């Protein structure tokens, strides 16, 4: 039985961004082709067989996990009854690989970037992204209705969630001053704060770093580094990792934060003084 790809597309067209939907549909079409060629029905068993065949063809584990998640979304959306325990077992075979943070900006470098960026939109995007450790898309999704100058709050829609979820933070004084200075206070609540594209910010980021005197050669630096840099700086200043994980980064799983920032934690652990030093014991007989 062929998959109802058109029906799935209609039900999810508003759930995903166009590029994401295109990737999901691409994976589902590959699964549909496998079912047709082998005379199989959509099920957890056929999903496992398909993933095994792709693995033998040399597909990477992360790609297989993404494909598996796309099919899982199809099962859920089209309400296809499957054994959830079996599905979890299949997904567990292809866990997501979370890479630890390898590069970040120092506090001095972030300050140089924000102070020396002349374009007011990019200056504010960098400042807000770093201050609240948000993803670039979350900053660019800001509407004026998300900023309350009277209550001094700023609200972000958290991405990577199936249902709408928002995070509200205190609007820091210097961010508020910059917003008022460059854009004023009165705007239509549904109007975007930053009417620019993600691609434009990404394209200009390295240029702004270079102009600010920050070394970029040999470093993988994208705007997302502002988010990881903020988390790294807070961890090094002694903010508990569970606070950084739940309140700032809004990671769904605590283990994600630990895995990504374990290198920072190792450095902090290495700086823990010995018990003999803290007890001021030089010799015990």
């Amino acid at each position: 039985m062929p998959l109802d790809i058109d029906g799935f597309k209609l039900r999810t067209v508003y759930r995903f961004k166009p590029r994401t939907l295109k990737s999901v549909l691409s994976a589902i079409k590959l699964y549909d082709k496998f079912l047709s060629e082998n005379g199989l029905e959509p099920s957890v068993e056929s999903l496992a067989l398909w993933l095994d065949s792709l693995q033998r063809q040399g597909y990477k584990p992360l790609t297989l996990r993404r494909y598996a998640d796309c099919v899982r979304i199809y099962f859920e959306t089209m309400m296809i009854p499957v054994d959830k325990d079996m599905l979890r077992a299949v997904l567990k075979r292809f866990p997501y690989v979370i890479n630890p943070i390898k590069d970040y900006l120092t506090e001095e470098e972030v300050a140089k970037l924000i102070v020396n960026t002349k374009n007011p939109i990019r200056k504010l995007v960098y400042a807000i992204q770093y201050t609240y450790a948000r993803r670039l898309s979350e900053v660019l999704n800001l509407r004026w209705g998300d900023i309350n100058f009277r209550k001094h709050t700023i609200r972000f829609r958290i991405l990577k969630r199936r249902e709408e979820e928002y995070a509200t933070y205190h609007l820091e004084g210097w961010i508020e001053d910059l917003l008022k200075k460059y854009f004023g206070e009165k705007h239509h609540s549904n109007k975007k704060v930053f009417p620019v594209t993600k691609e434009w910010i990404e394209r200009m980021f390295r240029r702004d770093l270079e102009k600010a005197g920050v070394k970029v050669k040999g470093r993988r630096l994208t705007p997302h580094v502002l988010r990881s840099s903020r988390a790294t700086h807070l961890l090094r200043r002694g903010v508990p990792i569970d606070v950084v994980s739940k309140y700032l980064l809004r990671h769904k799983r605590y283990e994600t934060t630990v895995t990504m920032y374990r290198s920072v934690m190792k450095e902090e652990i290495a700086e823990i003084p010995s018990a003999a030093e803290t007890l001021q014991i030089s010799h015990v007989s």
Side-chain angles (χ1 to χ4, degrees), residues 103-162:
D103 212 342
Y104 59 90
L105 299 173
T106 64
E107 290 174 319
E108 182 183 359
E109 288 174 331
V110 174
K112 282 183 178 180
L113 171 67
I114 294 172
V115 169
N116 291 288
T117 297
K118 302 302 181 185
N119 182 278
I121 288 180
R122 296 202 303 275
K123 181 191 286 285
L124 265 163
V125 167
Y126 300 153
I128 292 173
Q129 191 180 0
Y130 174 77
T131 300
Y132 303 103
R134 302 295 359 121
R135 300 175 182 89
L136 177 58
S137 297
E138 292 169 347
V139 176
L140 297 184
N141 278 339
L142 276 173
R143 310 273 174 174
W144 283 107
D146 296 319
I147 298 173
N148 191 319
F149 289 122
R150 185 172 58 84
K151 294 183 178 180
H152 308 290
T153 59
I154 185 168
R155 182 183 71 165
F156 300 91
R157 181 183 177 187
I158 304 302
L159 301 180
K160 297 192 175 181
R161 294 287 189 273
R162 292 185 192 175

Side-chain angles (χ1 to χ4, degrees), residues 237-260:
R237 285 181 175 273
V239 177
I241 192 168
D242 58 328
V243 174
V244 173
S245 177
K246 293 179 182 178
Y247 176 72
L248 202 65
L249 296 176
R250 300 278 173 159
H251 283 158
K252 196 171 183 180
R253 298 173 66 246
Y254 171 76
E255 294 80 2
T256 301
T257 313
V258 173
T259 303
M260 292 180 69

Side-chain angles (χ1 to χ4, degrees), residues 37-52:
E37 290 175 349
N38 294 276
L40 299 172
E41 297 288 322
S43 65
V44 177
E45 291 84 352
S46 63
L47 171 62
L49 290 172
W50 177 53
L51 294 173
D52 286 338

Side-chain angles (χ1 to χ4, degrees), residues 31-283:
Y31 176 56
D32 185 42
K33 182 181 178 183
F34 175 81
L35 295 179
S36 300
E37 290 175 349
N38 294 276
L40 299 172
E41 297 288 322
S43 65
V44 177
E45 291 84 352
S46 63
L47 171 62
L49 290 172
W50 177 53
L51 294 173
D52 286 338
S53 71
L54 294 178
Q55 191 172 38
R56 288 193 295 272
Q57 294 173 44
Y59 280 71
K60 294 180 180 179
L62 184 57
T63 302
L64 295 175
R65 175 53 191 253
R66 286 173 177 163
Y67 282 178
D69 274 330
C70 290
V71 175
R72 174 185 58 77
I73 292 169
Y74 179 85
F75 287 161
E76 292 175 355
T77 304
M78 305 307 289
M79 293 182 286
I80 295 176
V82 296
D83 187 313
K84 292 184 178 180
D85 290 332
M86 286 182 64
L87 181 58
R88 275 194 291 268
V90 171
L91 295 175
K92 200 171 182 180
R93 288 172 50 201
F94 306 100
Y96 277 116
V97 179
I98 303 171
N99 296 318
I101 298 299
K102 293 181 179 178
D103 212 342
Y104 59 90
L105 299 173
T106 64
E107 290 174 319
E108 182 183 359
E109 288 174 331
V110 174
K112 282 183 178 180
L113 171 67
I114 294 172
V115 169
N116 291 288
T117 297
K118 302 302 181 185
N119 182 278
I121 288 180
R122 296 202 303 275
K123 181 191 286 285
L124 265 163
V125 167
Y126 300 153
I128 292 173
Q129 191 180 0
Y130 174 77
T131 300
Y132 303 103
R134 302 295 359 121
R135 300 175 182 89
L136 177 58
S137 297
E138 292 169 347
V139 176
L140 297 184
N141 278 339
L142 276 173
R143 310 273 174 174
W144 283 107
D146 296 319
I147 298 173
N148 191 319
F149 289 122
R150 185 172 58 84
K151 294 183 178 180
H152 308 290
T153 59
I154 185 168
R155 182 183 71 165
F156 300 91
R157 181 183 177 187
I158 304 302
L159 301 180
K160 297 192 175 181
R161 294 287 189 273
R162 292 185 192 175
E163 298 179 357
E164 280 196 345
E165 183 179 325
Y166 292 88
T168 302
Y169 300 96
H170 170 68
L171 181 61
E172 293 195 10
W174 70 291
I175 298 290
E176 184 173 341
D177 291 342
L178 285 174
L179 285 167
K180 290 178 179 178
K181 175 183 176 181
Y182 291 121
F183 303 114
E185 297 184 46
K186 294 184 178 180
H187 301 274
H188 191 281
S189 62
N190 201 39
K191 184 181 178 182
K192 277 196 170 186
V193 178
F194 305 112
V196 297
T197 65
K198 181 180 178 181
E199 290 72 23
W200 180 66
I201 298 291
E202 290 174 336
R203 188 171 65 249
M204 299 302 296
F205 184 66
R206 288 179 72 89
R207 296 183 194 179
D208 288 334
L209 284 171
E210 287 177 331
K211 287 181 179 179
V214 177
K215 179 186 174 183
V216 298
K217 189 176 181 180
R219 301 170 74 183
R220 296 181 62 184
L221 300 176
T222 66
H224 195 76
V225 79
L226 292 170
R227 172 175 161 88
S228 55
S229 296
R230 177 64 163 159
T232 299
H233 299 160
L234 291 175
L235 289 171
R236 289 193 163 169
R237 285 181 175 273
V239 177
I241 192 168
D242 58 328
V243 174
V244 173
S245 177
K246 293 179 182 178
Y247 176 72
L248 202 65
L249 296 176
R250 300 278 173 159
H251 283 158
K252 196 171 183 180
R253 298 173 66 246
Y254 171 76
E255 294 80 2
T256 301
T257 313
V258 173
T259 303
M260 292 180 69
Y261 294 91
R262 62 188 174 203
S263 59
V264 178
M265 295 169 68
K266 283 180 181 177
E267 291 181 23
E268 296 301 307
I269 290 170
E271 293 175 5
I272 295 176
S274 69
E277 182 182 338
T278 57
L279 295 174
Q280 297 183 346
I281 297 174
S282 58
H283 176 71

